[in-house]
Each structure stands twice: as structure tokens, then as C-alpha cells.
């Protein structure tokens, strides 16, 4: 079946540096993508989303890039802080029908003080 | 946004028993979803809880093992039946709308001994 996956399971970044978390997806029909942050003991928390008619979207300290040609998503976190330490999941929303979110493998971001 | 409360937050259960997890939303929502997150892994959709009809189960999940109730637009329960240690996971309730971000409860951490 269709799947969403990540290249790196763990990413260690020095505090203050920028972080880049990558994600590959395989369903070319997906038209909505979301990044979630999950801290220990908590449910996933929405960070930022992007629709397939865009290739870049910026939020507060975060940017999501979408490359539909190679089916690739990335999440960029500027000036990474200790509070950014968490597991990050990309997810795709199947177009049409109901809201069903398919999650990627996840990347653990470790911020080194 | 939506605020989702799950109960219990954690439990330790004997094998062969069943546990019912409750999910309460602070607003009326059409669709509610139940996910399983096994240790160190991503989220897998179990089923979609539909109000007024039977839940829709994903491949690999069956109603006998994971019966779901959806008595109204703000509440749902998931029962994990005849538990075994392999059912030890975090179970998450989620709500969302078409092509928007999903909101998650804090999860129920289940340990089966």
C-alpha cells in the first residue's frame, strides 16, 4: 500500500543551529501534508501544514518544503532550542473521502545544549 | 481547534482482560479516529468511529478485538479485548475534518502483563 517514510531516525543538533528533517511519501494522490511534534508522554501536536498547490510555507521558526516531483517533504527548524527535542512525524492526508492521516516513521530530534 | 480528553491516561492490565478507553471532545465533531502507537514506533490507524453507524476498521484490525462505540458527536470509546502483552501500546484518540490538521488526545499508555 501507499506509505510515508523518513530518511533519518535520529537527528542530533547543536542548540542554535538549524534543523532539517526529511520525509518521503509515495502516494502521488496525496494533496495535504502535515508535520507533527510528539513530546514524551503526549499526543502529536500540529506544527505546520502544506497543500499540494504550494512548495513552501513558513511559520514561526519553522518552514515546510514540498517537492512533488520527487515526493519529498522537509521541515526546517531555525535556531533550534532544547524545547524542540521531540519526535517529529510527517503525515499525509488522502485526498477525497474522509480525514484519514497516514503517518511516517518519525525522526527523533535531540538538541545538544 | 479541539480539546480532547482521554481516560485513563495509563493502565497496567492482566492478560485476558479488557480495557475500555474513553475519549471526550469539547465540541461536536463528525469523525473521530483511534490510533495505536507501539513502543518506539509511529502511529497506526485502527479505525474511524462514525456516529450513528459502525466503525470503519483498517486492515489488520477487527471489531471483535477493538470494539468501538460512538454514542454522540462528542464522545467515543475503544475497547481492547482479551489483551495480550503484544497489545501494550499507546492508544490515541483523534479528531479532524477534511484537509485540516488532526487534533490528538494525550493518549492512553497500556501495559499488559
Amino acid at each position: 500500500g501507499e506509505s510515508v517514510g523518513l530518511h533519518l531516525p535520529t537527528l542530533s543538533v547543536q542548540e542554535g543551529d538549524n534543523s532539517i528533517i526529511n520525509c518521503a511519501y509515495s502516494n502521488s494522490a496525496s494533496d495535504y501534508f502535515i508535520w507533527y511534534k510528539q513530546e514524551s508522554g503526549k499526543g502529536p501536536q500540529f506544527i505546520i501544514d502544506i497543500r499540494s498547490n504550494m512548495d513552501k510555507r513558513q511559520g514561526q521558526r519553522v518552514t515546510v518544503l514540498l517537492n512533488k516531483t520527487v515526493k519529498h517533504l522537509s521541515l526546517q527548524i531555525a535556531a533550534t532550542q532544547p524545547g524542540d527535542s521531540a519526535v517529529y512525524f510527517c503525515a499525509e492526508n488522502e485526498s477525497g473521502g474522509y480525514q484519514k492521516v497516514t503517518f511516517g516513521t518519525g525522526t527523533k530530534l535531540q538538541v545538544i545544549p | 481547534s479541539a480539546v480532547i480528553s482521554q481516560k485513563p491516561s495509563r493502565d497496567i492490565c492482566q492478560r485476558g482482560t479488557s480495557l475500555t478507553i474513553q475519549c471526550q471532545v469539547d465540541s461536536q465533531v463528525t469523525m473521530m479516529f483511534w490510533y495505536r502507537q507501539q513502543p518506539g514506533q509511529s502511529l497506526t490507524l485502527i479505525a474511524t468511529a462514525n456516529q450513528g453507524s459502525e466503525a470503519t476498521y483498517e486492515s489488520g484490525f477487527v471489531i471483535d478485538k477493538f470494539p468501538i462505540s460512538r454514542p454522540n458527536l462528542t464522545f467515543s470509546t475503544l475497547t481492547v479485548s482479551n489483551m495480550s502483552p503484544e497489545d501494550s501500546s499507546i492508544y490515541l484518540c483523534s479528531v479532524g475534518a477534511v484537509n485540516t490538521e488532526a487534533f490528538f488526545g494525550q493518549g492512553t499508555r497500556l501495559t499488559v502483563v
Side-chain angles (χ1 to χ4, degrees):
Chain A
E2 301 290 359
S3 66
V4 179
L6 291 173
H7 298 302
L8 300 173
T10 305
L11 178 65
S12 296
V13 176
Q14 202 72 37
E15 181 178 357
D17 288 350
N18 297 334
S19 302
I20 299 176
I21 301 172
N22 295 304
C23 175
Y25 67 94
S26 58
N27 185 358
S28 57
S30 295
D31 59 4
Y32 179 57
F33 304 88
I34 316 114
W35 280 100
Y36 288 94
K37 173 186 181 182
Q38 187 177 28
E39 296 174 286
S40 181
K42 298 183 180 180
Q45 179 183 8
F46 170 84
I47 302 173
I48 192 168
D49 59 2
I50 189 167
R51 301 187 189 280
S52 60
N53 61 350
M54 305 171 66
D55 53 20
K56 181 179 180 179
R57 190 164 188 225
Q58 288 184 293
Q60 186 177 15
R61 281 201 308 118
V62 295
T63 301
V64 55
L65 299 177
L66 174 62
N67 186 330
K68 294 182 289 293
T69 302
V70 296
K71 299 189 186 69
H72 185 267
L73 271 172
S74 69
L75 176 70
Q76 300 178 2
I77 304 174
T80 311
Q81 303 169 359
D84 295 326
S85 294
V87 177
Y88 291 80
F89 295 97
C90 67
E92 64 176 316
N93 189 6
E94 296 181 4
S95 58
Y98 55 85
Q99 166 81 346
K100 174 183 172 180
V101 179
T102 303
F103 281 80
T105 309
T107 293
K108 183 177 181 179
L109 177 64
Q110 296 178 322
V111 181
I112 304 166
Chain B
S1 64
V3 177
I4 302 168
S5 300
Q6 272 187 247
K7 288 194 295 187
S9 58
R10 59 176 62 230
D11 206 344
I12 301 173
C13 300
Q14 296 290 323
R15 66 180 67 199
T17 63
S18 298
L19 175 71
T20 295
I21 302 167
Q22 299 180 4
C23 179
Q24 179 75 52
V25 189
D26 68 342
S27 58
Q28 294 186 340
V29 294
T30 304
M31 293 177 290
M32 296 177 73
F33 306 89
W34 288 99
Y35 286 84
R36 181 177 72 184
Q37 186 175 26
Q38 293 177 303
Q41 297 192 27
S42 186
L43 284 75
T44 301
L45 181 64
I46 298 172
T48 303
N50 308 305
Q51 198 272 329
S53 64
E54 282 197 356
T56 305
Y57 288 84
E58 297 300 308
S59 176
F61 298 96
V62 295
I63 187 171
D64 289 347
K65 177 66 177 178
F66 297 101
I68 287 171
S69 78
R70 182 83 197 273
N72 56 55
L73 291 174
T74 64
F75 186 80
S76 178
T77 68
L78 170 76
T79 298
V80 185
S81 303
N82 188 25
M83 288 182 285
S84 67
E86 292 71 35
D87 294 319
S88 298
S89 289
I90 299 171
Y91 292 86
L92 293 140
C93 171
S94 168
V95 304
V98 176
N99 285 339
T100 65
E101 72 271 23
F103 297 95
F104 288 84
Q106 81 278 13
T108 296
R109 184 178 295 270
L110 170 62
T111 302
V112 183
V113 297

